[in-house]
Amino acid sequence: MMEAVAELAMTGAATVVAAMATDAWQSARTRAAALLGRGDEEQRELAETRLERAAAEVEAADPADRDEVRQRIAAAWQVRLMDLVEAHPETEAELRRVIEELSGRLPAAQQSWVQHITAEGQGSVAQGVMFGNIINHRAAPE
């Protein structure tokens, strides 16, 4: 159950953040703020302010760096959306509707991110993660 909520929150965050600095942004901001506000005007305004700040950061970034900026911002929004769905399970269906609605409005280039990871040389290790963490544990010496 927790994994499904995490995946839904990751998709929601990625979708909303992907809309930043695109023609779909106004709709994305309005829908996401309403979802996060849950009928509380003060909470809706707070969410809208946070979204606007994040969008300004994306827009100010060099176009070559925007995907990296979006990934960082999406990680924070994933946590907010996970918290929302965990605390208010009834918001899950609305989040799914927001994702579906916004996905159709995004430019093709914003509908997915690709991550390339390369390891070279003997003993090299490569790892990658989007919107999450990697934790490594070294085995105890024998």
Side-chain angles (χ1 to χ4, degrees):
M1 177 70 171
M2 191 66 165
E3 287 179 21
V5 170
E7 186 176 324
L8 177 64
M10 179 179 69
T11 302
T15 302
V16 170
V17 173
M20 294 176 178
T22 71
D23 292 340
W25 174 237
Q26 295 307 317
S27 177
R29 184 196 67 198
T30 300
R31 296 284 282 136
L35 175 67
L36 289 158
R38 296 187 55 256
D40 180 324
E41 185 62 22
E42 189 175 309
Q43 288 301 309
R44 186 200 60 76
E45 287 177 9
L46 177 61
E48 198 167 272
T49 299
R50 287 177 173 159
L51 286 162
E52 280 299 326
R53 251 187 310 211
E57 188 175 344
V58 170
E59 200 159 326
D62 184 276
D65 298 330
R66 280 192 178 157
D67 280 349
E68 185 179 318
V69 172
R70 281 186 171 102
Q71 288 176 14
R72 183 177 43 74
I73 291 170
W77 285 99
Q78 178 185 357
V79 171
R80 285 188 176 109
L81 291 173
M82 262 179 46
D83 289 348
L84 174 71
V85 174
E86 287 175 358
H88 306 282
E90 69 279 6
T91 61
E92 182 178 338
E94 180 64 16
L95 177 54
R96 289 184 191 284
R97 284 190 293 274
V98 169
I99 292 167
E100 186 177 320
E101 178 186 318
L102 294 177
S103 293
R105 294 182 179 185
L106 292 177
Q110 295 309 119
Q111 291 184 14
S112 66
W113 285 316
V114 177
Q115 185 176 51
H116 299 279
I117 302 166
T118 304
E120 295 180 17
Q122 185 176 10
S124 295
V125 176
Q127 297 178 312
V129 65
M130 291 181 76
F131 317 123
N133 299 311
I134 294 177
I135 300 171
N136 293 302
H137 298 278
R138 195 175 282 241
E142 294 180 23

